[in-house]
Amino acid sequence: MLLRVLRTHLRPYAGNLSLVVVLQLVGTIASLYLPSLNADIIDNGVAKGDTAYIMSTGGWMLAVSLLQIVCTITAVYFGAKTAALFGRDVRAAVFHRVGEFSAREVNQFGAPTLISRSTNDVQQIQMLVVTTCTMLVAAPITMVGGVIMAVREDVGLSWLVAVAVPLLAVTIGFIASRMVPQFRKMQKNIDGVNRVLREQITGIRVVRAFVREPHEVERFGEANQHLTDTAIRAGRLMALVFPTVMLILNMSSIAVLWFGASRVENGTMEVGALTAFLSYLIQILFSVMMGVFVMIMVPRASVCADRISEVLDTDSSVRPPVTPITNFTGRGQLVFERASFKYPGAAEPVLRDISFVASPGQTTAIIGSTGAGKTTLLSLVPRLFDATEGRVLVDGIDVREIEPEALWERIGLVPQRPYLFSGTVASNLRYGNPDATDEELWHALEIAQGRDFVEAMPEGLDAPIAQGGTNVSGGQRQRLAIARALVRKPEIYLFDDSFSALDLSTDARLRAALRPVTREACVVVVAQRVSTIIDADQIVVIEDGAIVGKGTHQELLDTCPTYVEIVESQRSAEEAA
Amino acid sequence: MSEQKPSPNGQKPSPNGTEPGAAKTVKATERPTTGRAFGPPGGIPGDKSLDFLPSAKRLLKRLRPHRMQVSGVVLLAVFSVGLSVLGPKILGRATDIIFAGAIGKRLPSGMTKEQVIEQTRASGNGRLADLLQGIDLIPGVGIDFDALRNVLLLVLALYAGAFFLSWAQGYILNGVVQRTILDLRSEVEEKLNKLPLSYFDGAPRGELLSRVTNDIDNISTSLQQTLSQLLTSLLTVVGVVTMMFVISPLLALIALVTIPISMVLTAAIAKRSQVRFVAQWRHTGALNGQIEEAFTGHELVKVFGRQKEIEASFAEKNEELYKAAFGAQFISGLIMPLMMFIGNVNYVVIAVVGGLRVASGTMSLGDVQAFIQYSRQFTQPLTQVASMANLLQSGVASAERVFEVLDAEEQVPDDATPEKVTDARGRVEFEHVSFSYDPDKPLITDLSLVAEPGQTVAIVGPTGAARPHWST
């Protein structure tokens, strides 16, 4: 998974990456060359008392150092750039893919995790790319180069390399393998603490009202302790790593000097070569260590890659049509033709065999108990979901054949939970139509019974709206959402329980104001209150996903027992007053 | 000559396992953005904290309950660093022995060292004579393996000792930090129960949650990584510089020149990278906000046909983030190469000057080798301190945010000796109750009402009449 994500999105930057590798190669070789030059100074300069040689070789060393830094800095430049580009591309890919999702996919994942995967998970992988470019590339080069240089200095000691390197790799690998499960556990413990705290903060009123503070404190204490215990365990392992590495490094130095000494003694090795060998061994071991540590990043990045791939590999269940139809006449006739909807793998369908006709100029109401499938029904029209059986037709054409843009143009949706975007009242209203004039906005507000409170705000149309619309009350949010749909002037209005947060008189005024505006349009209203829909041209009664009654209020009173029940239950409350 | 030896006890990799020099960049860019309550730990971006010293002091004071252990840690650090710092010098002796043997073997046996030197000088090879002067050799005799063995065993013991001490130090410090954080979390949680409800309503929930979770986690990581590294790095620098002066004041002075240069460079880079990191986090926050909105309002975006528009403004912010991230990574990635370069130049200068001094007999080869190792040993901690600066700043910034919660005004505490209600039957009376969030906008004015046990009192009113506030 990780490899696939990396390969796909790094491919466009293969040029950059090759450059990084080459630069790191040159830079590392330069680094590796320095000890050799130093050995040279010792063997041919110092030992022979040749000061001129010492100086000139010193000059070479300086030149090599300069080369090294130029290469490294350039490599860092391209490495950082590539990683950042990679991050940008993956983020864009995920965003685009989620944009294509239908409501089903978004609900399947859940918005929070999609958000997390878009930024945080991408960030993890991006870090891996950066670290790889700057370090992991250098590590194997250093190791191989170091081995070559070391062997070049003296073949006889190279067995030390063959012993030291695996010893180090295995030791670190062992400790690391014990650490990784601890870190995973730590993440879970952190989640645990977060969860408890989040509940406490969100439900603070409940906690206090029921005097549950001691209980909550205890709960928290437990989670806190678990986390601390795991963290301590992980930290103890971590504390072991560096001292161990240093010990192996130092023991290797000692071994080199001991075994090297006999080779110097019997003339097979020069002193300068010995010291060079020593520094190469250290460099090799150091690079092994670096490599192993970067490897530790891999499991975490791998998990992130899995999560991202999951999103990228999910196809939307609602696909745009192959040959989209854009031009068609009609003024907003909506027909449901034996439409059904069932979640894959579910036992029962949410909607069964829904058939009705909603004509322009008419108001069609949909009523039914909670969970009867009303919202799903409305969602079929703009193709937030697609019917699993049957069809939905707008102006005589199956919605699945219509060009999505053209379809949405004709629809104005006011969802059950009105969501506003951060910005201003005006920017939210213009969501329906970016080209609307201020006049049109005020007009829509007036109809939606929102003019008063917007006028009361000091900035009027430019009054700020916080994300989600949390800085206005529920009723105000609903009215703004309605105004937004009105600004659009669509052919089909879909009101999903949009008047519930309004008191009865505002509700009535609003519906009265809506009538002239929606005279030409097809209006579908989902409601709970009978009083809202009592004047509808057609009422559709839904129970358990199926239609149990269709007609006017009076007709239904005579023919539909479910409807009668609903009316009675609401009326008796009124009559009791 | 061994160089590039990482400093003893100093480098500890971050929990992510990357090389410590990059620890700052790994952690800093790992943090999620403002206001998100879920997700992996991290914090509000590494903003340059407003009041660094006081907050830092306050944070360190929290370690006080564990001061016995902290002193223990410091002591262990001093000894383990001491041992590791001695190592190269003594190892240098080993090289001296080998070198002496190698040179000595080539000389004719039977003569004393002085005789050989005289001879060499007489034959016109003054330089070589100077060199021989400084070496502890016996003409004709090779390497003294006994002496070598003893030296190497001593070094082995030193390094083994350093291993145990440094592990113990890390072990104890880890426990101290984690327990301090445990206490901090508990304290904050307790505080939450004493805060007035208005505090919770006043800020977005995710923001408060972030302080309590992400920021504390950030403090934990920062403390964990910086405390031990800072301690050992500083001690190492002191120890190494001392050894360098012991060996050769001249070379030490040359090496020391690099310190101010490194500091200046590091400060310059840190300042620039800090700015870019802040920008990166700002842009990440902005982008994240956009994504959050777009995904949460997904169906609206679709149905109102705004997908293209949203993708366009997303692309814009995404591009800005890319630029900021690139800048931040690049600048901060410059520290290591630059430090390495300074280290290399140092190496060159010492190799040359040292070589010259050995040739003229004024210094032993082993000493030069040790010196080179030392100079490597002190550029490493300098680099580490440099890269830790960011991490430290970030940790203190988070600490400030947590302290803000701890300093918040508590609600009027319940009466110390509350009246006990012995016969609670459920009679609630409101006596001329008023309430408002904002003094200019009263919500409830002069409310008087009695609800007897057994009664159901209904509260109705038009939208906006402040009904929910009654129950609170």
Side-chain angles (χ1 to χ4, degrees):
Chain A
M1 280 300 171
L2 179 61
L3 270 176
R4 185 151 57 97
V5 172
L6 287 174
R7 214 181 325 141
T8 321
H9 297 278
L10 281 177
R11 190 170 302 161
Y13 309 109
N16 278 3
L17 285 175
S18 323
L19 192 58
V20 169
V21 173
V22 168
L23 287 168
Q24 294 278 32
L25 188 68
V26 175
T28 315
I29 291 179
S31 279
L32 288 169
Y33 197 44
L34 285 175
S36 263
L37 287 173
N38 192 18
D40 209 15
I41 289 187
I42 298 173
D43 291 335
N44 297 329
V46 175
K48 301 205 181 115
D50 185 348
T51 46
Y53 192 78
I54 294 178
M55 298 292 286
S56 67
T57 315
W60 273 115
M61 283 176 85
L62 261 176
V64 169
S65 299
L66 264 167
L67 176 66
Q68 199 250 3
I69 192 185
V70 167
C71 287
T72 319
I73 290 187
T74 318
V76 167
Y77 178 85
F78 282 105
K81 190 166 194 188
T82 309
L85 282 169
F86 169 83
R88 179 194 69 173
D89 291 347
V90 177
R91 276 193 297 267
V94 174
F95 190 77
H96 181 74
R97 175 49 61 124
V98 174
E100 285 176 351
F101 280 174
S102 76
R104 186 164 92 198
E105 282 78 47
V106 173
N107 292 337
Q108 187 183 310
F109 282 106
T113 184
L114 286 173
I115 297 165
S116 181
R117 293 178 200 215
S118 297
T119 48
N120 210 276
D121 290 75
V122 175
Q123 181 74 291
Q124 293 296 329
I125 306 187
Q126 189 177 310
M127 277 326 298
L128 181 66
V129 174
V130 161
T131 319
T132 305
C133 284
T134 49
M135 267 180 244
L136 192 52
V137 173
I141 299 177
T142 311
M143 195 175 106
V144 171
V147 169
I148 295 176
M149 299 297 261
V151 170
R152 205 181 67 124
E153 295 290 344
D154 187 84
V155 180
L157 280 182
S158 33
W159 64 270
L160 272 173
V161 175
V163 166
V165 169
L167 180 64
L168 184 65
V170 165
T171 315
I172 300 184
F174 178 70
I175 300 180
S177 67
R178 301 290 274 254
M179 279 200 298
V180 168
Q182 289 301 328
F183 281 127
R184 275 215 198 106
K185 210 164 167 198
M186 216 165 96
Q187 286 300 110
K188 283 213 189 98
N189 289 142
I190 290 174
D191 279 346
V193 169
N194 281 6
R195 197 174 26 243
V196 173
L197 271 172
R198 193 157 170 236
E199 278 179 17
Q200 286 182 4
I201 293 181
T202 320
I204 189 82
R205 281 180 165 82
V206 175
V207 169
R208 292 206 185 164
F210 287 86
V211 195
R212 295 290 280 165
E213 285 101 328
H215 169 78
E216 289 299 324
V217 165
E218 202 185 297
R219 238 179 105 209
F220 178 81
E222 245 180 72
N224 199 7
Q225 191 63 52
H226 281 151
L227 174 57
T228 306
D229 288 339
T230 311
I232 290 184
R233 238 171 298 152
R236 283 190 180 150
L237 277 172
M238 180 68 81
L240 193 54
V241 173
F242 237 84
T244 311
V245 168
M246 290 310 302
L247 188 64
I248 295 183
L249 241 56
N250 292 329
M251 287 200 307
S252 309
S253 308
I254 295 174
V256 167
L257 283 177
W258 179 251
F259 291 105
S262 22
R263 293 179 69 76
V264 169
E265 177 73 353
N266 59 28
T268 44
M269 196 175 180
E270 298 281 353
V271 175
L274 179 62
T275 51
F277 190 91
L278 192 58
S279 34
Y280 285 132
L281 185 62
I282 304 290
Q283 270 180 318
I284 294 169
L285 291 177
F286 195 54
S287 68
V288 168
M289 190 189 63
M290 263 198 335
V292 174
F293 280 135
V294 176
M295 286 307 176
I296 292 186
M297 280 182 90
V298 170
R300 190 163 181 191
S302 191
V303 169
C304 297
D306 284 343
R307 284 156 56 93
I308 293 177
S309 298
E310 228 189 326
V311 175
L312 291 176
D313 289 342
T314 304
D315 281 325
S316 175
S317 54
V318 171
R319 303 244 182 80
V322 177
T323 40
I325 300 174
T326 38
N327 293 321
F328 51 101
T329 49
R331 289 169 303 113
Q333 195 197 50
L334 182 62
V335 175
F336 274 72
E337 210 175 80
R338 311 200 55 154
S340 301
F341 180 78
K342 192 164 102 157
Y343 283 105
E348 294 294 320
V350 175
L351 289 174
R352 249 179 305 199
D353 212 18
I354 305 286
S355 300
F356 68 90
V357 176
S359 302
Q362 275 191 345
T363 302
T364 305
I366 317 232
I367 195 164
S369 51
T370 323
K374 309 188 294 280
T375 304
T376 315
L377 197 157
L378 280 189
S379 302
L380 291 179
V381 181
R383 293 192 73 196
L384 289 172
F385 294 102
D386 266 346
T388 46
E389 268 175 46
R391 314 195 286 169
V392 176
L393 303 161
V394 166
D395 291 337
I397 308 176
D398 190 330
V399 290
R400 284 174 288 207
E401 309 282 320
I402 305 179
E403 158 88 70
E405 301 275 325
L407 173 64
W408 295 327
E409 246 171 41
R410 289 170 161 74
I411 298 175
L413 172 70
V414 184
Q416 206 165 9
R417 277 175 305 218
Y419 186 78
L420 297 179
F421 293 93
S422 61
T424 61
V425 170
S427 69
N428 270 285
L429 295 181
R430 287 207 170 89
Y431 222 66
N433 178 4
D435 301 318
T437 62
D438 280 0
E439 301 300 304
E440 291 172 317
L441 297 186
W442 282 118
H443 185 61
L445 278 171
E446 202 172 317
I447 300 175
Q449 307 300 304
R451 185 167 195 141
D452 296 336
F453 77 81
V454 174
E455 266 176 354
M457 296 189 202
E459 305 92 334
L461 282 178
D462 292 323
I465 299 281
Q467 184 185 339
T470 47
N471 63 331
V472 290
S473 77
Q476 289 169 336
R477 265 206 299 285
Q478 259 192 350
R479 282 175 275 171
L480 287 175
I482 294 171
R484 176 172 60 194
L486 287 170
V487 167
R488 198 167 175 68
K489 299 199 179 83
E491 288 175 6
I492 302 176
Y493 284 90
L494 302 170
F495 291 104
D496 191 348
D497 210 2
S498 317
F499 312 118
S500 55
L502 309 172
D503 60 72
L504 285 176
S505 59
T506 315
D507 179 346
R509 277 202 304 274
L510 199 153
R511 280 182 298 110
L514 271 177
R515 249 190 293 269
V517 174
T518 58
R519 207 190 311 271
E520 310 275 298
C522 168
V523 177
V524 180
V525 179
V526 166
Q528 306 266 24
R529 280 191 209 138
V530 172
S531 54
T532 311
I533 60 166
I534 201 164
D535 300 321
D537 300 299
Q538 179 186 207
I539 301 175
V540 175
V541 186
I542 309 248
E543 193 175 15
D544 285 333
I547 296 184
V548 295
K550 215 184 333 183
T552 63
H553 171 76
Q554 205 50 53
E555 286 167 11
L556 288 173
L557 280 180
D558 294 331
T559 57
C560 179
T562 312
Y563 189 71
V564 171
E565 239 177 80
I566 297 175
V567 171
E568 299 273 274
S569 65
Q570 292 186 10
R571 184 173 293 168
S572 48
E574 280 171 35
E575 285 180 339
Chain B
M1 317 244 179
S2 57
E3 72 273 77
Q4 276 217 356
K5 216 173 184 139
S7 74
N9 320 313
Q11 281 180 348
K12 288 200 176 54
S14 76
N16 294 327
T18 54
E19 218 263 317
K24 156 197 70 116
T25 50
V26 171
K27 287 318 279 181
T29 49
E30 233 195 337
R31 290 185 213 104
T33 61
T34 329
R36 284 211 323 185
F38 33 78
I44 305 301
D47 277 302
K48 239 197 175 85
S49 47
L50 304 159
D51 247 337
F52 186 79
L53 275 178
S55 304
K57 269 196 221 140
R58 192 171 166 184
L59 184 60
L60 285 175
K61 272 213 206 106
R62 300 199 64 93
L63 293 169
R64 183 163 294 173
H66 309 276
R67 57 180 174 281
M68 283 300 292
Q69 286 166 308
V70 173
S71 327
V73 166
V74 172
L75 211 61
L76 282 171
V78 167
F79 281 119
S80 75
V81 168
L83 285 182
S84 321
V85 163
L86 274 177
K89 174 91 173 87
I90 304 193
L91 209 59
R93 281 278 302 137
T95 312
D96 281 339
I97 295 173
I98 296 177
F99 194 49
I103 302 281
K105 196 127 191 267
R106 292 197 213 136
L107 300 174
S109 57
M111 295 191 278
T112 66
K113 180 172 137 186
E114 281 63 32
Q115 291 174 322
V116 172
I117 289 178
E118 258 179 58
Q119 226 181 45
T120 320
R121 230 179 263 283
S123 68
N125 204 341
R127 285 269 156 76
L128 186 57
D130 287 335
L131 167 67
L132 294 176
Q133 190 71 42
I135 301 179
D136 187 13
L137 56 78
I138 303 173
V141 172
I143 300 177
D144 182 357
F145 278 96
D146 281 331
L148 183 64
R149 190 181 345 123
N150 292 338
V151 168
L152 288 180
L153 281 176
L154 177 61
V155 174
L156 184 63
L158 273 179
Y159 282 141
F163 166 74
F164 282 113
L165 289 176
S166 104
W167 178 46
Q169 169 209 337
Y171 192 94
I172 298 177
L173 185 63
N174 170 58
V176 167
V177 168
Q178 289 306 325
R179 278 188 213 103
T180 306
I181 296 293
L182 176 97
D183 291 337
L184 186 61
R185 273 200 206 101
S186 302
E187 214 178 287
V188 173
E189 206 255 354
E190 260 176 54
K191 181 79 182 188
L192 286 183
N193 286 326
K194 296 191 200 136
L195 290 172
L197 285 178
S198 59
Y199 186 88
F200 293 92
D201 292 337
R205 300 239 169 87
E207 219 272 335
L208 174 61
L209 199 63
S210 194
R211 287 184 198 229
V212 181
T213 54
N214 294 337
D215 281 291
I216 294 191
D217 286 327
N218 193 26
I219 298 174
S220 166
T221 323
S222 305
L223 275 182
Q224 191 87 36
Q225 285 183 248
T226 53
L227 272 184
S228 61
Q229 285 199 41
L230 259 180
L231 183 63
T232 47
S233 299
L234 288 173
L235 283 173
T236 307
V237 170
V238 168
V240 165
V241 167
T242 317
M243 292 308 292
M244 291 205 291
F245 268 105
V246 161
I247 296 178
S248 161
L250 170 66
L251 283 183
L253 280 173
I254 296 177
L256 282 181
V257 164
T258 57
I259 296 191
I261 298 179
S262 315
M263 292 207 306
V264 166
L265 259 179
T266 310
I269 292 183
K271 218 185 331 166
R272 284 181 177 70
S273 74
Q274 182 70 48
V275 167
R276 282 172 175 74
F277 271 119
V278 170
Q280 180 185 351
W281 284 105
R282 206 169 3 104
H283 283 117
T284 307
L287 189 70
N288 203 60
Q290 223 183 23
I291 293 179
E292 216 167 346
E293 276 207 308
F295 288 3
T296 312
H298 179 261
E299 54 180 30
L300 286 168
V301 170
K302 256 192 135 69
V303 175
F304 280 87
R306 298 269 83 83
Q307 183 67 25
K308 284 215 183 75
E309 220 174 84
I310 285 224
E311 276 197 21
S313 69
F314 172 85
E316 213 180 283
K317 289 221 157 46
N318 201 9
E319 187 72 20
E320 282 174 31
L321 176 57
Y322 145 64
K323 289 202 190 112
F326 167 37
Q329 278 303 338
F330 175 52
I331 303 280
S332 62
L334 287 180
I335 288 189
M336 286 275 290
L338 278 173
M339 292 309 227
M340 213 151 92
F341 180 63
I342 295 178
N344 278 343
V345 169
N346 212 5
Y347 177 36
V348 173
V349 170
I350 291 174
V352 169
V353 174
L356 290 173
R357 286 178 79 75
V358 173
S360 64
T362 39
M363 212 172 145
S364 88
L365 181 64
D367 273 350
V368 175
Q369 176 203 319
F371 207 93
I372 289 182
Q373 198 174 319
Y374 282 133
S375 72
R376 286 293 188 195
Q377 249 181 299
F378 98 29
T379 49
Q380 281 293 354
L382 282 184
T383 315
Q384 271 165 253
V385 173
S387 36
M388 268 191 282
N390 250 17
L391 196 59
L392 198 60
Q393 276 183 319
S394 154
V396 174
S398 281
E400 256 182 20
R401 289 168 51 82
V402 176
F403 292 147
E404 271 170 33
V405 175
L406 288 178
D407 292 339
E409 228 179 279
E410 299 177 13
Q411 64 185 357
V412 177
D414 296 335
D415 219 333
T417 45
E419 261 185 63
K420 255 187 150 35
V421 181
T422 45
D423 193 8
R425 286 178 306 122
R427 182 178 186 274
V428 177
E429 182 171 342
F430 285 81
E431 270 181 11
H432 300 290
V433 171
S434 295
F435 177 76
S436 62
Y437 283 116
D438 183 346
D440 296 329
K441 296 195 208 144
L443 274 175
I444 299 174
T445 343
D446 200 23
L447 169 71
S448 298
L449 165 73
V450 174
E452 298 287 353
Q455 277 187 341
T456 303
V457 177
I459 303 183
V460 296
T463 314
R467 287 163 293 161
H469 295 87
W470 289 54
S471 52
T472 314

